[in-house]
Amino acid sequence: MAAAKQNEGKKEEEEEGYTIRVGTRRSALALKQAELVISSLSSAHPHVNFEVHAMATMGDRDKTTPLPEMGKGLWTSELEAKLVAKEVDIIVHSLKDMPTTLPSGCLLGCVTKREDPRDVVIFKEDKYKTLAELAELKEGAVVGTSSVRRAAQLRRRYPGLKFKDVRGNIDTRLKKLDDPENGLDCIILAAAGLLRMDFGDRIGQYLESSTEGGGLLHAVGQGALGIECREDDERVLGLLKSIEHTPTMMAAFAERSVMRTLEGGCSVPIGVETSWVEGEDTEEEGEGESKGGRKLRIRAIVVSLDGTEGVDGEKVEEVASLAQADSLGKKMAQELVDKGAQKILDVINNAREGHEGAGAVKVGDVSK
């Protein structure tokens, strides 16, 4: 007991005056997410100081160019440059915005417990109390989204809908939706951001694979926060262990492995969905630590931009390590390729390369 107290006192003494510089985007949601991470770290390490270093990234500064045209790393590359230069010690990312291949010397240090990963429908303010689901929208209704993944899957399920590119933070998008001059009937957003920013009352419908009438598989890593650090920073890696949520991190590794194997990104319509399969020796989904014998179910989908073609699959395997999670993702990706996903991806990549003056095909390039 005395030795334990002595070690604890020594640890506190080592942490006293130690400062962690936290890199984040400058948006309201990004700052909120950084605050959540700092709060958790401060509870576990009360003697450590934290400084927020916020900056506007390329994706924040350019509010007009459709996201697919801006390439990978639009939310992360400038922050990562500061991490490599040792100007910050960690970066708090929305994991869905974090490329699956990181700069040399950088590491996904931990993933915290996931917020609701589903996509949701937000109806125009004068309609959201009368409309309950997408299926109630009339043919020709306009859906706002900046995501080709969402647009492609919804075109497949609801061919009568039209789509319009909508950029901006949550508050900006809600204002664009409610402004009658924009002609929007609804927008699609991630539940996690709305819930973190206390906009949950605007959620009209949650979308998932089992949604009646047609749902969505969410983006890789959606709802989770990823903490990036330098791979040789053992002190920081040790601190991050206190807020790591193992079930979320394993699920995220499997999802990211699917995308990495398929070489996808923001401009490729890849959707995923993961859940822990209950067994006699398991806990509730997403709670507690991973136990031996737990199985992870992963669903994935690749859809053509116009929604006319799509392949999907599902795999369930025992996952007790990050390596097993990564392997499961690779197998899931290979199954999609075997079913014809590569043909769909090749068409998308060729369209991207041939698209005049742009690096990717955007939401508005395909109409149905």
Side-chain angles (χ1 to χ4, degrees), residues 19-55:
T19 299
I20 297 289
R21 297 162 299 174
V22 182
T24 177
R25 291 167 53 206
R26 199 174 287 167
S27 72
L29 176 58
L31 289 170
K32 176 67 174 180
Q33 291 172 167
E35 288 174 8
L36 291 172
V37 169
I38 289 173
S39 177
S40 297
L41 283 170
S42 294
S43 295
H45 307 282
H47 299 280
V48 176
N49 302 313
F50 296 91
E51 291 179 356
V52 174
H53 292 244
M55 68 174 294

Side-chain angles (χ1 to χ4, degrees), residues 156-323:
R156 190 185 188 199
R157 307 292 188 187
Y158 306 93
L161 298 180
K162 296 184 179 298
F163 296 86
K164 182 177 181 179
D165 191 80
V166 175
R167 288 280 314 277
N169 59 34
I170 292 174
D171 189 54
T172 298
R173 295 192 201 195
L174 290 175
K175 289 177 180 177
K176 288 181 178 180
L177 168 64
D178 295 331
D179 185 344
E181 292 187 6
N182 290 322
L184 296 167
D185 293 283
C186 67
I187 57 176
I188 311 296
L189 295 174
L194 289 161
L195 295 172
R196 287 176 180 139
M197 297 300 290
D198 296 323
F199 284 114
D201 61 331
R202 286 300 304 267
I203 296 175
Q205 181 187 17
Y206 286 88
L207 300 172
E208 55 193 316
S209 62
S210 60
T211 300
E212 187 174 352
L216 283 178
L217 297 192
H218 57 72
V220 166
Q222 187 160 302
L225 300 180
I227 318 302
E228 189 174 2
C229 64
R230 291 181 291 275
E231 63 182 9
D232 61 354
D233 197 335
E234 296 297 333
R235 192 173 195 178
V236 164
L237 285 167
L239 293 175
L240 293 179
K241 280 294 180 184
S242 64
I243 63 170
E244 177 184 305
H245 189 250
T246 305
T248 300
M249 192 154 180
M250 288 185 178
F253 263 62
E255 294 174 13
R256 287 168 64 80
S257 178
V258 172
M259 179 167 281
R260 187 184 304 111
T261 304
L262 293 174
E263 297 184 346
C266 295
S267 59
V268 178
I270 298 172
V272 295
E273 189 175 84
T274 50
S275 60
W276 289 97
V277 178
E278 295 301 319
E280 58 184 30
D281 67 339
T282 66
E283 301 177 22
E284 291 299 315
E285 176 183 328
E287 297 293 336
E289 297 301 313
S290 178
K291 291 186 174 183
R294 293 196 75 185
K295 292 185 177 182
L296 183 65
R297 172 183 288 117
I298 184 166
R299 298 183 176 95
I301 188 170
V302 175
V303 186
S304 63
L305 292 173
D306 63 4
T308 59
E309 296 182 84
V311 296
D312 48 31
E314 176 180 325
K315 295 190 79 66
V316 180
E317 284 190 8
E318 181 175 322
V319 171
S321 69
L322 296 179

Side-chain angles (χ1 to χ4, degrees), residues 311-315 330-341:
V311 296
D312 48 31
E314 176 180 325
K315 295 190 79 66
K330 290 178 181 176
K331 293 175 184 176
M332 182 73 265
Q334 187 59 54
E335 180 179 315
L336 294 178
V337 170
D338 292 343
K339 290 181 176 180

Side-chain angles (χ1 to χ4, degrees), residues 8 28 77 126 164 168 193 319:
E8 184 176 337
S77 59
D126 60 355
K164 182 177 181 179
V319 171

